[in-house]
Structure formats: C-alpha cells, structure tokens
C-alpha cells in the first residue's frame, strides 16, 4: 500500500492509502490526477533513510509543483519565504534554539515565547 494525493489545478484535495492498481483503474467524477506521496518524507529527507519522494508528505491544501516534483505546504505568513531545497517555508528570523516554545509574531517579525 502507498499514499496518493489527488491534485486538482495544482492543489491537493484528498490523500488516500491505496494499491497502485486501484489508482491505475479508478474512475472518478471529479477532475484531477493522483500523485504518490511518502508519509516518511519531510523537507526532502526520508525519515527512515530511504529515498525521499516529492520533498514533503502531501496534505489537503498543499500545492503540487510539477516542475519541482514537490508538495509544498500552504504559506503560513506573508513574510516567510520558500526554501527551494526543502520546499518548506522559512521565517525571516531563525527559530530560537534554547529549547523553549515560541510562536511567530508577523506584526513584529519576531518569535514570541509561549507562556505555559
């Protein structure tokens, strides 16, 4: 079994687990194509040491860029830019590495400490 994303107009509308034979023979009323995705791929790295597939595991609302052959998550904030290698969005300021939790403040362009 493998994971497949239904892509319509470049946007993922559905993700399923199926055999390749099912994908090859499925007839659906809605337009789009099925593109295989890997649950173990994130940022162009396969978590189990295998071959990464399409940069990131697809999710509903992700973009499929056929030129990059990559699934790209929705842009979280206007100030973030796409890392062309990982196809993940990056903040203009690096996330703090002090082990605490932060949330992005788009207005101030800073990472704000999450009070617990």
């Amino acid at each position: 079994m493998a994971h497949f994303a239904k892509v319509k107009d470049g946007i993922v509308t559905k993700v399923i687990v199926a055999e390749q034979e099912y994908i090859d023979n499925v007839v659906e009323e809605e337009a789009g194509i099925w593109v295989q995705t890997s649950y173990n791929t994130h940022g162009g790295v396969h978590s189990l040491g295998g071959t990464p597939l399409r940069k990131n595991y697809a999710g509903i609302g992700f973009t499929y860029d056929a030129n990059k052959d990559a699934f790209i998550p929705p842009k979280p904030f206007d100030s973030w830019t796409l890392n062309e290698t990982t196809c993940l969005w990056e903040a203009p300021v690096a996330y703090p590495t002090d082990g605490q939790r932060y949330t992005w403040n788009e207005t101030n362009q800073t990472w704000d400490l999450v009070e617990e």
Side-chain angles (χ1 to χ4, degrees), residues 4 17-18 24 26 50 56 63 82 85 100-101:
F4 292 88
V17 177
D24 292 342
V26 68
N56 297 294
T63 298
L82 185 66
T85 302
Q100 298 190 67
R101 289 186 15 179

Side-chain angles (χ1 to χ4, degrees), residues 61-110:
F62 279 42
T63 298
Y64 175 65
D65 185 318
N67 292 327
K68 290 179 174 61
D69 192 25
F71 289 106
I72 302 170
K75 188 174 185 176
F77 298 98
D78 287 340
S79 65
W80 290 33
T81 57
L82 185 66
N83 179 314
E84 297 290 335
T85 302
T86 64
C87 287
L88 295 172
W89 297 100
E90 295 180 348
V93 177
Y95 190 87
T97 58
D98 60 6
Q100 298 190 67
R101 289 186 15 179
Y102 293 85
T103 186
W104 180 249
N105 182 322
E106 181 70 1
T107 301
N108 297 328
Q109 302 283 293
T110 59

Side-chain angles (χ1 to χ4, degrees), residues 13-91:
T13 60
K14 186 186 304 185
V15 179
I16 65 169
V17 177
E19 296 287 350
Q20 182 66 52
E21 182 180 355
Y22 172 80
I23 297 299
D24 292 342
N25 295 305
V26 68
V27 177
E28 291 196 14
E29 293 179 15
E30 67 181 64
I33 60 168
W34 288 102
V35 181
Q36 189 172 356
T37 184
S38 172
Y39 183 78
N40 295 309
T41 299
H42 181 76
V45 176
H46 192 281
S47 64
L48 303 177
T51 302
L53 183 64
R54 299 190 172 88
K55 302 289 185 180
N56 297 294
Y57 178 67
I60 294 173
F62 279 42
T63 298
Y64 175 65
D65 185 318
N67 292 327
K68 290 179 174 61
D69 192 25
F71 289 106
I72 302 170
K75 188 174 185 176
F77 298 98
D78 287 340
S79 65
W80 290 33
T81 57
L82 185 66
N83 179 314
E84 297 290 335
T85 302
T86 64
C87 287
L88 295 172
W89 297 100
E90 295 180 348

